[in-house]
Amino acid sequence: MAEFAAGLRALRETAGNPAYRSLARRANFSAATLAAAASGRRLPTLPVTRAYVEACGGDAEEWTARWRELARTTPPPAGEPAAEERIPYVGLAPFQAGDAELFFGRRRLVDDLTRRLTERRLVVVFGPSGVGKSSIVRAGLIAHAEGRRPMLLVPGTTPLTELAVRLAGPARIPAGALLDDLAKDPARAGLVVRAAFEDELLLVVDQFEGVFAAGVDPAERAGFIAALVALGVGECGARVVLAVRADHYARFVEHPELLAASADGHVLVGGMSPAELRDAVVKPAERVGARVEGALVSAIVADVAGRPGALPLASHALLEAWRRRRGTTVTLAGYEAAGGVDGAVAATAESVYAGLDEEHRGVVRRLLLRMVDIDDRGGARRRPVPRPQIGSTAREARVVDRLVDARLLTADRDCVELAHESLIYAWPRLREWKEESRETLRAHRQLTESATVWQELGYDPGVLYRGARLALTRHWAAAPSWQPALSPLERRFVDESVRREKAEATGHHRQIRRRRLIAGALAAVLALGVTGGSETGGGWWCAEGPTGLLAVDTGMLTAAEDGYYGADTGLLRARTSPGVYGTWEQFQVCRRRADPSIVHLRGYAARKRFVSARPRRPGDTTLRLTAASLGPWEWLKVVPVDGDGTVLLRSVGHDRYLTVQFPGPRQYAARLAATAPAEAGAGRFRFTPLP
């Protein structure tokens, strides 16, 4: 600060040391203001700095750059918020229902939307990206849903599955069973809502354009839309609001039933009027006991006028100005120091990026590009990334924490994503990364989806890449900037594709597996009252008769946990004595035709319920009986250990042997999990006839 002020004084001396009154006539600022600018007590505003420099004959652009650098690196300490103070601005992220008392400027639009909902059961909110649709439906509509039960849903790549999961809890039915029902007849969603909710359900689907993403299965998309239409046109006690980007309006034509159901129910969100912008800027600060300079209000109105998509950028600039406030006043100087509407996001992102070493900068690039999706029309949109795809090292954790603290990312227990799509375009560095990697981003998304399907189908070799597609993937994945970007599952998928193609090329298509005593073990499995079998058409074959799974070490038969919902639904435990009739689980043993030592277990009485070890929380390896007619189920490698039918079971997906664990006292039922890396720690099992 002192060096900056000394430079201004030196510039005045170079100009002949004119009196401040003389400078004031040239600069159109008072002599006191110009003298204070050169005193070094505080940073002058950018307009004052430029006027001072121009009046002295200096280079205004050079001094503008110096001012911005100083403002970025030395924010006023008085603006640091106390830990207990509430921040009135949310930055790039949308306002949530809990932020309703800070949400201003959209009262008229929220009232119109509420009125439409009293007249219609399905309303669609259209608007360009960045206009504030999410804030309107969350902080405006959901926060004031008196007499209704609000439910917020953001569809990902499996929207029908997400709907089933959200409805299953209140309805107290298994999510997998509900998903199967909705896949067969989406209109059953209305019956579920009618039975489960006493108050009228207000289902708000935010970022509805996600259902049109290239990675969404067409059948899943059609089923989800049909379920929403059923909720929106029937008398089932539900009202549906869809918030969707305006550039996806044409996609509604592809779904005539949705277009018809939403006719006369469209609400278009545009930019704010100057009066609405003033309320959005001033009233949140007043709510927390602060004030905003009039000059700052005028500057924001001028910067945002005619740019409805700039609202998130303005909100972020206000957040940075709040951090630079003087006492209880949010100032124009703090706003300009942050870079204003056009520069605040880039300044924040660059500040975080500049504070990292080269290794962590590489993590930032890989992480943010994974959160950008290129749609089938060439546009870019943000993409939620499941935490397992981010990585589990300390480097990734530190980078995520830094970006979340800067409010550039939002994170929950399951996913991390960009705080707003505007970050893709507002930060030049990310925009450049995106343009450089456009084609590779598409290929990476396809690899992610293929690897996920491969895992869910029990690592079916038919899903692996071959030929030109594999060659192209190997080429870009080997690049130094992309090689670390692959998740462990993606890397394993590529490596297995390469291995498989080499085996086929050399004529050694058969898998080399250990087969000692396989014939005896399979005889023990298939001789349990089996007189025939059934072809599934999926590359595997199921025995007809039921069998039990005995944990040899405990002498207990396996049973599935009772209950309708929750994390323990269908949990497999070794808990049932063979002498207690009817409390064990009856399994149907299904084996691969290509390799009979690979099996999976299907609930015999439960029909479509399969044993799965898909994690429900980080680090989860427990086995459950879950409803999934097409997967994912758990493939198990049968490893005989002696001639009496005792076997070890190795999870192919986790590459771990099954163990019998006691999370509580010894008398508590033991849990089955895939945790043992070697045979020495594995549990011993036996397929056995049931009493």
Side-chain angles (χ1 to χ4, degrees):
M1 184 74 72
E3 183 180 351
F4 185 84
L8 290 177
R9 293 193 296 271
L11 186 63
R12 175 169 167 255
E13 292 176 1
T14 302
N17 210 18
Y20 279 112
R21 287 187 178 182
S22 176
L23 286 179
R25 288 192 293 272
R26 305 178 202 170
N28 292 320
F29 283 96
S30 69
T33 298
L34 297 177
S39 68
R41 290 191 298 270
R42 66 180 185 180
L43 182 68
T45 66
L46 180 58
V48 169
T49 302
R50 290 180 62 94
Y52 186 109
V53 171
E54 290 173 351
C56 294
D59 186 341
E61 297 305 319
E62 175 190 346
W63 278 89
T64 295
R66 292 176 63 178
W67 184 93
R68 291 192 186 281
E69 178 62 22
L70 180 61
R72 183 182 68 83
T73 56
T74 57
E80 291 297 326
E84 67 276 6
E85 289 180 329
R86 185 166 188 190
I87 300 175
Y89 306 109
V90 298
L92 288 174
F95 285 86
Q96 303 297 331
D99 303 316
E101 65 172 335
L102 301 174
F103 182 62
F104 293 95
R106 289 297 196 183
R107 184 72 266 164
R108 178 187 57 80
L109 195 58
V110 172
D111 289 344
D112 180 42
L113 180 56
T114 303
R115 179 184 58 80
R116 295 287 188 98
L117 271 178
T118 63
E119 301 170 352
R120 304 189 56 82
R121 292 191 173 275
L122 194 152
V123 176
V124 184
V125 179
F126 287 103
S129 177
V131 80
K133 302 181 298 297
S134 295
S135 297
I136 290 169
V137 298
R138 298 182 189 209
L141 187 63
I142 291 180
H144 301 94
E146 293 87 356
R148 296 190 177 113
R149 169 79 174 271
M151 178 180 291
L152 177 66
L153 188 152
V154 179
T157 56
T158 55
L160 188 62
T161 303
E162 183 66 24
L163 178 63
V165 170
R166 298 304 304 277
L167 293 178
R172 299 180 64 84
I173 56 179
L178 179 56
L179 177 59
D180 282 345
D181 288 342
L182 294 181
K184 294 176 183 176
D185 183 7
R188 294 184 182 180
L191 298 176
V192 174
V193 169
R194 181 180 297 176
F197 297 93
E198 295 182 3
D199 296 329
E200 187 175 60
L201 172 67
L202 175 60
L203 177 62
V204 176
V205 184
D206 194 14
Q207 300 173 35
F208 180 73
E209 65 272 6
V211 304
F212 301 119
V216 178
D217 180 79
E220 180 102 5
R221 178 189 301 125
F224 178 64
I225 291 176
L228 295 181
V229 171
L231 293 175
V233 300
E235 297 294 332
C236 61
R239 296 188 186 269
V240 180
V241 177
L242 311 180
V244 57
R245 266 178 24 199
D247 57 325
H248 284 75
Y249 177 78
R251 302 300 296 267
F252 277 53
V253 179
E254 302 170 11
H255 302 275
E257 70 284 4
L258 178 60
L259 193 62
S262 62
D264 299 325
H266 297 171
V267 176
L268 182 61
V269 181
M272 288 182 170
S273 68
E276 290 173 331
L277 275 172
R278 183 187 183 282
D279 286 347
V281 172
V282 173
K283 290 188 176 180
E286 291 178 346
R287 184 59 61 91
V288 298
R291 60 177 293 270
V292 180
E293 280 186 350
L296 172 55
V297 177
S298 300
I300 289 183
V301 170
D303 289 345
V304 177
R307 302 169 59 190
L311 291 178
L313 305 180
S315 181
H316 184 80
L318 281 168
L319 174 63
E320 292 301 314
W322 170 262
R323 290 170 173 163
R324 294 167 170 81
R325 71 192 185 280
R326 292 195 174 95
T328 59
T329 302
V330 187
T331 65
L332 176 63
Y335 172 77
E336 292 172 338
V341 167
D342 295 314
V345 172
T348 300
E350 279 296 323
S351 177
V352 173
Y353 188 78
L356 301 173
D357 58 28
E358 286 301 320
E359 185 179 23
H360 286 83
R361 290 178 182 180
V363 174
V364 170
R365 184 182 190 276
R366 296 193 298 270
L367 179 64
L368 296 186
L369 284 179
R370 187 175 278 274
M371 296 179 183
V372 176
D373 198 11
I374 305 297
D375 62 28
D376 53 1
R377 298 185 179 184
R381 57 186 295 270
R382 61 176 173 169
R383 168 181 176 267
V385 177
R387 284 189 178 272
Q389 293 183 16
I390 291 175
S392 57
T393 68
R395 290 195 309 272
E396 282 87 1
R398 282 193 294 270
V399 167
V400 169
D401 288 344
R402 290 286 296 276
L403 295 174
V404 169
D405 290 342
R407 301 205 177 191
L408 299 173
L409 300 183
T410 59
D412 57 26
R413 187 182 67 179
D414 302 316
C415 295
V416 181
E417 64 179 329
L418 300 178
H420 198 275
E421 287 176 0
S422 57
L423 179 61
I424 302 173
Y425 303 99
W427 188 18
R429 188 182 298 275
L430 178 56
R431 187 170 65 244
E432 180 181 345
W433 288 341
K434 184 248 313 177
E435 291 301 325
E436 290 175 352
S437 310
R438 180 176 289 270
E439 295 303 321
T440 307
L441 279 174
R442 284 200 183 97
H444 192 190
R445 295 298 164 268
Q446 294 171 357
L447 173 62
T448 301
E449 294 162 8
S450 298
T452 302
V453 171
W454 179 59
Q455 183 184 50
E456 292 182 348
L457 293 182
Y459 305 92
D460 187 343
V463 183
L464 297 172
Y465 283 180
R466 291 170 174 80
R469 191 176 190 186
L470 176 58
L472 179 63
T473 301
R474 293 182 67 186
H475 176 73
W476 66 259
S481 59
W482 280 97
Q483 191 171 16
L486 269 61
S487 70
L489 177 62
E490 293 162 358
R491 173 56 57 192
R492 182 180 171 191
F493 177 85
V494 173
D495 292 344
E496 187 63 20
S497 296
V498 173
R499 190 200 65 78
R500 185 78 176 187
E501 186 175 64
K502 287 181 179 179
E504 291 175 351
T506 56
H508 298 293
H509 178 64
R510 298 174 184 174
Q511 300 176 353
I512 303 174
R513 298 181 182 273
R514 185 174 51 179
R515 293 185 176 275
R516 69 173 189 248
L517 300 175
I518 286 294
L522 289 176
V525 172
L526 298 177
L528 301 173
V530 179
T531 58
S534 59
E535 290 286 345
T536 66
W540 38 279
W541 180 90
C542 294
E544 285 189 352
T547 184
L549 181 63
L550 179 73
V552 175
D553 297 328
T554 65
M556 306 291 279
L557 282 170
T558 300
E561 193 75 5
D562 295 329
Y564 291 100
Y565 61 97
D568 284 349
T569 301
L571 196 72
L572 292 186
R573 297 187 187 275
R575 67 173 188 182
T576 306
S577 170
V580 181
Y581 178 76
T583 59
W584 49 76
E585 199 65 43
Q586 300 181 72
F587 293 109
Q588 189 177 23
V589 179
C590 303
R591 59 190 177 92
R592 280 186 181 173
R593 287 198 295 260
D595 186 353
S597 67
I598 304 293
V599 305
H600 67 78
L601 305 179
R602 178 163 61 179
Y604 188 81
R607 298 172 62 190
K608 289 187 176 180
R609 300 182 70 195
F610 292 81
V611 170
S612 169
R614 190 176 191 181
R616 297 193 181 183
R617 55 175 68 92
D620 185 13
T621 58
T622 53
L623 272 67
R624 295 176 176 85
L625 200 60
T626 181
S629 57
L630 296 176
W633 46 69
E634 193 64 22
W635 291 103
L636 301 171
K637 171 76 172 180
V638 178
V639 182
V641 293
D642 54 39
D644 66 351
T646 300
V647 298
L648 308 180
L649 298 175
R650 181 168 62 86
S651 165
V652 177
H654 290 280
D655 196 23
R656 293 290 190 274
Y657 289 91
L658 300 196
T659 58
V660 179
Q661 301 179 330
F662 287 87
R666 186 70 183 177
Q667 65 270 19
Y668 185 69
R671 174 182 301 181
L672 273 60
T675 58
E679 293 185 7
R684 296 183 301 159
F685 299 91
R686 186 180 301 131
F687 294 99
T688 181
L690 295 172

